[in-house]
Amino acid sequence: NFYATVPKAVAVMKNSGLPVTRLEPGCFFQNFLSFYGLLPVLQGGQSEFSAPFPSNIPIQFVDVRDIAKAASVIIAKPPESYVGSHIRLVGDSRTINDCVVAAGTVVGRKINYKQVSESEFSDMLKALGFPDWMCADAPPIFHFHSGFCYGFDSSELSALLQVLGDKPSSLEGFFKDHAELFNASPPTS
């Protein structure tokens, strides 16, 4: 299982002495546009979003656009600037409830959050028309995120700021950037 091997692979690489720079992003904001299933809820006018994340534990998020910016900054610097570094790329740390409230604000209605089991979430994705492979991958991905994107300290929020030299994207900024998509009609299949 890929998700079970990531922490072991990271430890091996960090302890290898190889001249590498490792960028380790948190959960992608863009998952709200696809995998998490929030987009159909927002487009369909629904008032409840369900997922297997605990509602009160902050999750470390990052916008993939900030990952690209950070990588380009690092590549442009002399190699010795970052070789041997392991950089956590975290732009915002929020609970899933915070995320749902922010999305609801953008679409102009209250969205409630309901925590469900991983298997219930997989079944919901299937009902929304997600492909079978994605529905099957949902439980291991959420299990991976529950150990990997929770519980990092706030100093990791400053690592991306230091690399970028500017504030990374915020949760509210991400949702505002995609407001037009959230208010669009869902695709028909």
Side-chain angles (χ1 to χ4, degrees), residues 47-106:
S47 62
E48 184 175 270
F49 170 68
S50 301
F53 290 119
S55 64
N56 61 342
I57 299 175
I59 304 168
Q60 312 302 309
F61 286 102
V62 66
D63 192 315
V64 297
R65 297 171 294 184
D66 289 334
I67 297 170
K69 288 177 195 173
S72 67
V73 166
I74 290 168
I75 289 169
K77 300 267 181 172
E80 61 276 4
S81 300
Y82 289 100
V83 167
S85 297
H86 178 92
I87 305 167
R88 282 281 299 164
L89 300 178
V90 176
D92 211 339
S93 179
R94 300 294 188 88
T95 67
I96 195 70
N97 198 56
D98 293 337
C99 298
V100 172
V101 168
T105 299
V106 168

Side-chain angles (χ1 to χ4, degrees), residues 29 32 36 38 42 49 53-61 92-107 109-114 150 157 170-176 182:
F29 281 142
F32 286 112
Y36 292 166
L38 181 61
L42 297 174
F49 170 68
F53 290 119
S55 64
N56 61 342
I57 299 175
I59 304 168
Q60 312 302 309
F61 286 102
D92 211 339
S93 179
R94 300 294 188 88
T95 67
I96 195 70
N97 198 56
D98 293 337
C99 298
V100 172
V101 168
T105 299
V106 168
V107 296
R109 69 177 187 279
K110 182 176 170 57
I111 309 286
N112 295 307
Y113 176 68
K114 177 183 174 188
Y150 298 143
L157 292 172
S170 69
L171 174 71
E172 289 80 8
F174 171 78
F175 283 129
K176 286 177 187 171
F182 292 146

